[in-house]
Amino acid sequence: MFKRHFFIIGAACLLGLMVVAAVFKIAFSDGGAGGGKGPRGPGAGRGQVVAEVVAQRREFADQIRVLGVARGRRSVNITSNTTQLVTQVMFADGQAVAAGTPLVELQAREEDADLIRTRAQLENAQREYDRYRILAERGVAPRVMAETAETALKTAQAAVAAAESRRGDRILRAPFAGVLGLTSVTPGTLISPGSVITTLDDISGVRVDFPLPERYLGVLPVGAPLTATTDAFPGEEFNGRIALLDTRVNEQTRAIIARAEFPNPGNRIRPGMMMRVAVHQGRRQSLAVPEAAVQYEGQGAFVYRIARAETGATAQRVKVQTGAVEGGYVEIVSGLANNDHIIASGLNRIQPGAPISVEGEAPQGGAPSKGGARAPQAARK
């Protein structure tokens, strides 16, 4: 009996505590049932703290953005046209050479022997011609003998020239001035036709070939200015121009190959680098917001507009159509009006329609915050 009474008393106490807790919760909540006169702690009743930014017009450049690969003004692989041993390497890796500089000498025993033989034949033919010429002038020998000796002399001279050419082919030379690449060839290496001994590039200037949609042929003539960037030098732009346009338009892609030329002081751009080429068409004024204020989901883009009322501010999710991205700003084609106030960052934590507390205005431009989603490549023009 005592245990049953103790259990009933304990349950009643627990129920009383729960009632008291509920009363305190209602009394000290935000406004409660009595119109908000209960105690308020620091930050009680406030939504998520956000920074705002104002959508305003700014200048954008009309650009065509494409990818291309940098090539030297002239580039070649130094190879041999025969299978032979290397006897001498006459250059260093990365050396700048002039046109005609000897680079590699190949074994040339047969060519050396052939050159000695033909030179000896030339000397003999020269003596025979001199003798018959003198005898013909004195009338001792017929003129036809001198003419035959002259023919033999010219034949010997041609044989020497051919032997010297074959001997010269055993020395590989730089076809133009440029910078040599790396090599693994050493004396004693057996090379075959097509084997790359080293590379030679004229990188005093670089060229970039890229596809250009045919609809731009009328507005982008040869000589039009353009810029290019590369991952090797982030934040740096290289200025160039359209040097040539191909004579044909690709029937499948409806694009024409354009060739851009860039000066390359200091040889900083290397052949093979991926270049992002931007062809300029003009500048315009358009509504823009910072990149960090735009959230991308699939093929759509959204911003959170700040709606203010007497009861406080709330976040409204607004779908927008984006355009160009330049200098940390995204062009807003539709969806916002000039001077609309939007949330600047932390978009992943915002709930549409939720109350917010605006602390201040975010700095214009700059890098996106960690909370802002970046534009996918397909959404950027």
Side-chain angles (χ1 to χ4, degrees), residues 10-298:
C13 293
L14 180 61
L15 181 61
L17 290 175
M18 292 176 62
V19 172
V20 172
V23 171
F24 271 88
K25 182 177 180 181
I26 294 174
F28 291 98
S29 63
D30 186 11
K37 296 182 180 180
R40 298 173 62 95
R46 301 174 61 187
Q48 179 178 334
V49 178
V50 299
E52 70 174 343
V53 69
V54 180
Q56 294 181 339
R57 302 182 68 84
R58 75 183 307 271
E59 191 176 66
F60 281 91
D62 282 325
Q63 296 179 340
I64 305 169
R65 295 181 180 272
V66 292
L67 294 177
V69 178
R71 306 292 183 198
R73 182 171 291 169
R74 290 179 292 179
S75 300
V76 70
N77 292 331
I78 305 298
T79 61
S80 171
N81 60 359
T82 184
T83 300
Q84 196 52 267
L85 289 173
V86 175
T87 59
Q88 188 177 3
V89 177
M90 295 172 281
F91 69 91
D93 295 346
Q95 178 181 343
V97 295
T101 301
L103 304 177
V104 173
E105 183 176 7
L106 306 179
Q107 184 172 275
R109 294 176 181 175
E110 294 182 4
E111 288 74 13
D112 289 338
D114 188 46
L115 186 58
I116 293 173
R117 179 180 60 80
T118 55
R119 283 176 177 173
Q121 292 174 347
L122 176 60
E123 292 177 0
N124 183 61
Q126 185 69 51
R127 288 193 299 267
E128 289 292 321
Y129 170 72
D130 291 341
R131 181 167 60 252
Y132 282 110
R133 180 177 58 80
I134 293 174
L135 293 177
E137 290 176 354
R138 293 177 180 178
V140 177
R143 173 64 61 181
V144 66
M145 297 296 293
E147 292 176 351
T148 302
E150 183 179 9
T151 301
L153 174 61
K154 291 181 179 179
T155 301
Q157 290 173 341
V160 170
E164 289 177 344
S165 177
R166 289 190 293 272
R167 180 62 180 86
D169 288 342
R170 291 298 181 265
I171 298 179
L172 306 183
R173 301 176 182 272
F176 52 82
V179 179
L180 296 170
L182 304 179
T183 184
S184 59
V185 173
T186 60
T189 301
L190 179 65
I191 60 173
S192 57
S195 299
V196 177
I197 299 172
T198 187
T199 58
L200 178 65
D201 296 287
D202 177 6
I203 53 177
S204 57
V206 295
R207 55 185 173 87
V208 179
D209 293 347
F210 59 91
L212 185 67
E214 65 175 353
R215 64 181 180 273
Y216 295 115
L217 287 178
V219 296
L220 292 176
V222 172
L226 47 78
T227 60
T229 59
T230 179
D231 291 339
F233 306 104
E236 184 173 355
E237 289 188 345
F238 298 89
N239 297 314
R241 65 182 185 90
I242 296 178
L244 291 171
L245 294 174
D246 199 0
T247 56
R248 296 185 179 183
V249 174
N250 188 293
E251 296 180 1
Q252 282 72 39
T253 63
R254 310 312 307 172
I256 191 171
I257 299 300
R259 174 166 294 174
E261 289 186 350
F262 297 86
N264 191 22
N267 298 337
R268 301 176 69 202
I269 304 176
R270 303 299 180 92
M273 276 187 176
M274 181 65 70
M275 305 289 288
R276 297 179 180 85
V277 180
V279 185
H280 305 284
Q281 295 181 266
R283 304 193 72 84
R284 67 184 187 282
Q285 293 285 332
S286 185
L287 192 65
V289 298
E291 284 188 78
V294 183
Q295 186 178 51
Y296 295 88
E297 291 184 6

Side-chain angles (χ1 to χ4, degrees), residues 357-372:
S357 177
V358 181
E359 286 294 312
E361 186 171 346
Q364 300 290 314
S369 70
K370 295 181 180 179

